[in-house]
């Protein structure tokens, strides 16, 4: 009897093992990748810093003391204190500004990525699914926007149309110019998926356009879009820092790593630590998102597993 029970259980276990989806396989693969786990830890830490900066430091990032704290060197004994990373040319705590600067960068990165994914995904799905004249028109619009360099276009837009540059003006400028890559990726994925048998069967059974696109095409075409968007997020954070560095992005009183790197140019020879810490925070943030994007790409691409 025991042998018969084992014989009955084993096929069920095999069926459960075989009934796996692409996302389930990807998640199992990601959990075994150290690069993914490291990037997740870094990103969670950065997100917590942006939401709860007061939990990491009680120093005021805008409080300046030119008399006592002008370019004061880092005090490594002041662990997590205001003077841990030293003070800048205005006597402000570099450590506090590094912590509070995460909010602007993470906000810009997340909202720009969400905006370009929605806009580019909608345009790409519409062009790929309907095809014909609509595809030709939308593809030419994508080509026009794709020919505008992201950084140069954002410089022109922010300089010409935004007298008071905030986080949201930077987000809008980057979304308007940065959606083309997502649109191309989504269009290519939809063109491939809509030729599948289950989509053809759905049309034959009378499924409407909305149902086909939302229930059948989108879930099977979104994987490459997620990969591109995750990798691009780090690039948008770097672009925001570059714009702020050039004086066209964020402005005081907003705290930004790009602004601090720009102001540190004047004292880089006498006090290199003023530039080092915000630059290191920016590099780690961009690297974390790129690492996550690479891990997600490897997990979602069966050829790379």
């Amino acid at each position: 009897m025991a042998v018969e029970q084992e014989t009955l259980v084993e096929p069920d276990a095999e069926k459960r093992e075989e009934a796996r989806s692409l996302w389930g396989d990807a998640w199992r693969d990601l959990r075994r990748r150290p690069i993914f786990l490291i990037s997740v830890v870094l990103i969670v830490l950065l997100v917590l810093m942006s939401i709860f900066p007061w939990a990491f430091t009680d120093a005021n990032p805008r409080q300046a003391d030119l008399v006592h704290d002008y370019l004061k060197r880092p005090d490594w004994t002041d662990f997590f204190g205001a003077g841990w990373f030293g003070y800048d040319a205005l006597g402000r705590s570099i450590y506090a500004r590094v912590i509070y600067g995460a909010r602007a960068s993470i906000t810009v990165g997340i909202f720009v990525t969400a905006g370009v994914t929605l806009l580019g995904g909608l345009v790409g799905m519409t062009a790929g699914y309907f095809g014909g004249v609509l595809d030709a028109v939308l593809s030419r619009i994508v080509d026009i926007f794709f020919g505008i360099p992201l950084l140069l276009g954002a410089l022109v837009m922010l300089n010409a149309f935004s007298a008071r540059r905030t986080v949201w003006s930077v987000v809008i400028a980057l979304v308007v110019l940065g959606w083309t890559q997502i649109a191309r990726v989504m269009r290519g994925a939809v063109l491939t998926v809509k030729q599948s048998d289950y989509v053809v069967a759905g049309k034959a059974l009378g499924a409407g356009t909305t149902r086909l696109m939302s229930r059948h095409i989108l879930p099977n075409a979104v994987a490459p879009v997620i990969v591109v968007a995750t990798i691009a997020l780090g690039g948008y954070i770097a672009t925001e820092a570059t714009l702020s560095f050039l004086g066209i992005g964020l402005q005081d009183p907003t705290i930004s790593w790009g602004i601090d790197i720009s102001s540190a140019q004047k004292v880089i020879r006498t006090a290199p630590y003023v530039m080092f810490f915000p630059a290191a925070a920016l590099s780690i943030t961009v690297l974390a998102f790129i690492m996550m994007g690479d891990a997600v790409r490897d997990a979602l691409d069966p050829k790379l597993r």
Side-chain angles (χ1 to χ4, degrees):
M1 292 295 292
V3 175
E4 293 179 359
Q5 289 179 354
E6 290 178 1
T7 305
L8 293 173
V9 171
E10 287 180 356
D12 294 337
E14 291 178 0
K15 290 179 180 179
R16 287 196 300 269
E17 188 68 17
E18 291 174 359
R20 298 188 305 181
S21 64
L22 172 65
W23 300 104
D25 288 341
W27 175 240
R28 290 184 183 89
D29 184 69
L30 286 172
R31 287 184 299 180
R32 301 190 196 93
R33 291 179 177 270
I35 188 173
F36 174 75
L37 299 177
I38 293 172
S39 63
V40 167
V41 171
L42 289 174
I43 290 171
V44 169
L45 180 62
L46 290 165
V47 170
L48 291 176
M49 284 170 52
S50 64
I51 299 175
F52 310 109
W54 44 265
F56 294 84
T57 179
D58 57 357
N60 188 342
R62 297 184 178 90
Q63 183 177 353
D65 186 354
L66 287 172
V67 178
H68 299 99
D69 295 329
Y70 173 77
L71 294 180
K72 194 173 181 180
R73 294 185 174 277
D75 182 6
W76 302 114
T77 61
D78 188 15
F79 198 60
F80 290 120
W84 192 25
F85 291 169
Y87 294 84
D88 63 10
L90 295 178
R92 299 172 300 188
S93 169
I94 297 175
Y95 174 68
R97 293 188 67 81
V98 166
I99 296 297
Y100 279 83
R103 174 173 294 179
S105 296
I106 297 297
T107 301
V108 169
I110 290 177
F111 280 95
V112 171
T113 302
V116 299
T117 301
L118 290 175
L119 179 59
L122 179 62
V123 172
M125 177 175 286
T126 303
Y129 182 80
F130 291 102
V133 177
L134 183 59
D135 181 21
V137 172
L138 291 176
S139 296
R140 297 296 77 77
I141 294 174
V142 170
D143 292 340
I144 292 172
F145 277 87
F146 197 79
I148 304 174
L150 178 61
L151 183 59
L152 179 60
L155 282 169
V156 174
M157 284 188 62
L158 291 171
N159 195 39
F161 301 108
S162 182
R164 174 67 181 147
R165 293 184 292 273
T166 63
V167 168
W168 303 115
S169 59
V170 174
V171 168
I172 292 172
L174 294 181
V175 169
V176 169
L177 298 170
W179 57 273
T180 53
Q181 185 180 15
I182 297 291
R184 284 188 166 187
V185 173
M186 177 61 85
R187 176 183 177 273
V190 170
L191 286 173
T192 302
V193 172
K194 78 173 186 177
Q195 305 298 331
S196 302
D197 293 339
Y198 54 85
V199 177
V200 176
K203 290 181 179 179
L205 292 172
T209 300
T210 304
R211 181 178 178 84
L212 284 173
M213 293 178 70
S214 62
R215 297 290 299 274
H216 300 288
I217 294 179
L218 180 60
N220 292 283
V222 75
V225 174
I226 292 176
V227 173
V228 173
T230 306
I231 297 176
L233 198 156
Y236 295 134
I237 292 176
T239 302
E240 177 275 315
T242 303
L243 292 170
S244 300
F245 175 82
L246 296 174
I248 305 297
L250 301 179
Q251 296 176 316
D252 285 329
T254 304
I255 302 173
S256 167
W257 293 330
I259 295 175
D260 288 350
I261 293 172
S262 178
S263 62
Q265 292 181 97
K266 301 175 183 178
V267 296
I268 189 172
R269 293 188 177 181
T270 57
Y273 52 87
V274 177
M275 179 181 288
F276 172 79
F277 291 108
L282 175 63
S283 300
I284 292 172
T285 302
V286 174
L287 178 62
F289 284 103
I290 292 177
M291 288 168 56
M292 172 176 279
D294 288 340
V296 172
R297 179 196 60 195
D298 295 343
L300 290 176
D301 191 346
K303 297 179 182 178
L304 298 176
R305 277 194 255 157

